[in-house]
Amino acid sequence: MPEHPDIRIDVSNMMAPHLPGGTERAAFEGGMADRFGRAFDEVALRRKRGEMGFFDLPYASETVDQVEGLANGFGQWFEDVVVLGIGGSGLGSLTLRDALCGPLWNERSDEKRDHFPRLRIIDNPDPDTVRALLDHLDPARTLFNVVSKSGSTAETMAQYLATRDWVERGLGEDEARGHFLFTTDPGRGALRQIAESEGIPTLSVPENVGGRFSVLSSVGLFPAAACGVDVRALLAGAAAMEARCRSRKLVDNPAGVLAALLHAAHTESGRSVHVFMPYADRLRSLALWFQQLWAESLGKEGGGPTPLASVGATDQHSLLQLLMEGPRDKVVLFAGIEREDDVDIPERHPEMPGLAYLGGHGLGELLDVERAATAEALRREGRANLSIQLPGVTPHALGQSLMLLQIATVYAGGLYGVDPLDQPGVELGKTLTYGLMGRDGFEAPELDAGDPRWRF
Ligand code: PA5
């Protein structure tokens, strides 16, 4: 057994004749492989032009040194690290914390956290959440890591202003500065300006790395490293996957296989809803991260798939009926993990058949069996699904998974014919918000009040 086994992808439940009506081998080897080859070339060209910086993050050794230095020194002065960041600037940290720090990290005692800080991620500028959090924190023991690539996102800037004020009221202006760390663009934006004029420490997000592709940059690495995560192993896993995805030949490129099959399922068989369903609570946030990555990268020009984050077995009692018998417009991406530790289910009530069969098994075993059974039930109904299998929720395996999904996303961009790196659709809402909030240079728009007859 290698020290760091590969994650495995099983797409047999997408392929005919195993899946009735699935992708034919001839199509996979023919038109699909050709289309993938063209998408691969486009990505390779953009990478060469320096536009796709996320591919290079696993090899950015200076960044890791800097992040680890800060996380192991400065980061350990605090009991709570609070990330203020939204979208790609918050979901990466959430994913890393939930997967790699494990369940209930913030609820654990100092000893059970090995004295690493708690990690909280605040994305929504909801006053109830922010007030409740601040009521709970000690400003003297809290670091705010303000994460914004642009340094101008309204939600994050508003949270920064509110928390800065709160820390200053608690500790005074001078001391407050030592409770902030900015993660932002190397040269532009308000955060960069404030940092330079006030001497606030910063980490840079490379210019060619956008929010949703930034989890393996200082955006995700600092908060994870501050909580003791082995970020070098995470990056090594990402590098291993990057190396596995260097082939132009579809069958040899796991990210290509994912992208090509999901794209074909949508455009050729109407399976436009892509449900990401890990059978592990530790991967719940990975599903949310994937949802944002897939939606914001591919939902463009009137097209694109609809991703849906879910978790097994919980959503077997919520979504599964729809997946089994609803419209045939979905693909389910299962994720399973190999577990070393299980919780035994004791043998009690041998007289009760409804309980007796569970005794002698494990909770993790039950989850895994349910995943396999659900995949098979879907297949028998002609419902497409595929499985990603992680050899444990380790930093290495998660690094592989994150890189796999990011590379699949940029290939899918090529296949759908859209630019996966931009997000023009969110700009209008931002501009209208600026106008309504009175930002200089932005006109307050007239909001169309609609027709009063349709208000009830
Ligand atoms: O993926 C993206 O680019 C977005 O979701 C951004 O991460 C999000 O809008 C926050 O942007 P910023 O990091 O500039 O504050």
Side-chain angles (χ1 to χ4, degrees):
M1 178 89 158
E3 192 190 348
H4 295 300
D6 287 343
I7 65 170
R8 292 277 156 216
I9 297 148
D10 184 343
V11 296
S12 38
N13 287 355
M14 302 285 290
M15 309 300 292
H18 195 57
L19 176 78
T23 300
E24 299 288 341
R25 189 189 180 109
F28 181 83
E29 290 174 350
M32 206 181 276
D34 293 343
R35 281 193 297 279
F36 168 68
R38 289 193 290 278
F40 179 93
D41 292 342
E42 193 185 319
V43 167
L45 184 70
R46 294 193 70 181
R47 191 177 167 189
K48 206 165 155 198
R49 290 203 300 244
E51 294 172 25
M52 293 198 171
F54 78 89
F55 275 104
D56 305 317
L57 294 173
Y59 313 105
S61 50
E62 274 178 30
T63 304
V64 191
D65 292 343
Q66 191 196 8
V67 162
E68 276 192 341
L70 261 181
N72 296 338
F74 178 57
Q76 301 309 310
W77 301 351
F78 304 97
E79 281 173 5
D80 287 273
V81 172
V82 181
V83 169
L84 305 177
I86 198 162
S89 289
L91 285 165
S93 308
L94 187 71
T95 302
L96 297 181
R97 182 198 68 188
D98 291 352
L100 301 176
C101 296
L104 304 178
W105 175 254
N106 291 336
E107 280 74 46
R108 294 187 204 174
S109 66
D110 290 348
E111 290 72 31
K112 289 264 166 68
R113 293 193 324 273
D114 284 334
H115 297 275
F116 288 112
R118 288 177 281 267
L119 175 59
R120 307 173 193 278
I121 293 101
I122 303 295
D123 48 8
N124 218 12
D126 184 318
D128 292 335
T129 311
V130 173
R131 194 180 301 115
L133 178 70
L134 296 183
D135 280 349
H136 191 77
L137 294 173
D138 173 0
R141 311 294 301 154
T142 303
L143 172 69
F144 290 93
N145 180 199
V146 189
V147 183
S148 175
K149 171 77 193 295
S150 61
S152 66
T153 300
E155 295 88 343
T156 307
M157 294 307 107
Q159 287 173 342
Y160 161 63
L161 295 170
T163 52
R164 175 85 189 245
D165 202 50
W166 177 78
V167 181
E168 284 188 3
R169 274 186 274 120
L171 306 177
E173 211 177 308
D174 282 349
E175 210 184 306
R177 273 194 283 275
H179 290 256
F180 286 86
L181 166 68
F182 295 165
T183 307
T184 191
D185 187 90
R188 290 178 301 125
L191 284 181
R192 178 62 58 190
Q193 267 181 325
I194 299 169
E196 276 166 13
S197 70
E198 300 193 19
I200 290 176
T202 57
L203 288 165
S204 291
V205 191
E207 235 163 310
N208 59 1
V209 172
R212 57 194 174 275
F213 293 93
S214 69
V215 58
L216 300 172
S217 75
S218 52
V219 170
L221 295 184
F222 173 78
C227 296
V229 168
D230 181 352
V231 293
R232 287 180 193 269
L234 179 79
L235 294 175
M241 181 54 72
E242 189 275 320
R244 277 179 79 187
C245 297
R246 285 186 191 158
S247 176
R248 190 181 188 280
K249 198 169 158 204
L250 179 56
V251 72
D252 292 332
N253 188 321
V257 169
L258 264 190
L261 285 173
L262 288 171
H263 171 256
H266 177 187
T267 55
E268 290 165 21
S269 314
R271 292 173 169 133
S272 61
V273 182
H274 298 166
V275 184
F276 195 92
M277 193 171 188
Y279 272 61
D281 284 345
R282 293 172 72 169
L283 300 181
R284 266 178 201 261
S285 305
L286 176 69
L288 292 172
W289 175 85
F290 171 76
Q291 179 174 263
Q292 192 240 352
L293 179 70
W294 208 241
E296 210 168 39
S297 302
L298 304 176
K300 282 162 197 172
E301 300 176 25
T306 303
L308 180 60
S310 68
V311 73
T314 305
D315 287 333
Q316 286 185 199
H317 301 268
S318 153
L319 291 177
L320 186 57
Q321 171 62 33
L322 175 75
L323 303 180
M324 285 293 290
E325 295 187 353
R328 294 177 178 276
D329 61 355
K330 299 175 194 68
V331 181
V332 184
L333 290 81
F334 291 105
I337 58 174
E338 276 148 42
R339 296 168 194 272
E340 281 180 3
D341 295 329
D342 208 342
V343 172
D344 294 339
I345 307 175
E347 292 177 356
R348 295 178 64 151
H349 297 294
E351 76 291 0
M352 299 176 83
L355 269 68
Y357 74 99
L358 294 167
H361 295 286
L363 294 182
E365 185 188 352
L366 174 63
L367 265 188
D368 222 36
V369 164
E370 292 200 64
R371 181 179 55 77
T374 306
E376 173 62 5
L378 287 169
R379 183 193 71 78
R380 287 188 189 184
E381 289 300 313
R383 311 249 161 184
N385 64 87
L386 58 87
S387 296
I388 302 171
Q389 184 72 9
L390 279 72
V393 188
T394 61
H396 197 277
L398 191 71
Q400 292 182 58
S401 311
L402 293 166
M403 190 51 104
L404 171 78
L405 295 169
Q406 290 179 103
I407 300 179
T409 302
V410 293
Y411 290 154
L415 292 164
Y416 278 103
V418 296
D419 181 355
L421 305 182
D422 67 4
Q423 53 283 328
V426 300
E427 290 310 315
L428 178 59
K430 276 191 188 176
T431 310
L432 295 182
T433 302
Y434 291 151
L436 289 167
M437 293 294 281
R439 180 171 167 174
D440 245 10
F442 291 83
E443 220 169 280
E446 284 285 316
L447 291 190
D448 186 339
D451 183 337
R453 284 173 305 172
W454 294 107
R455 289 195 213 116
F456 301 98

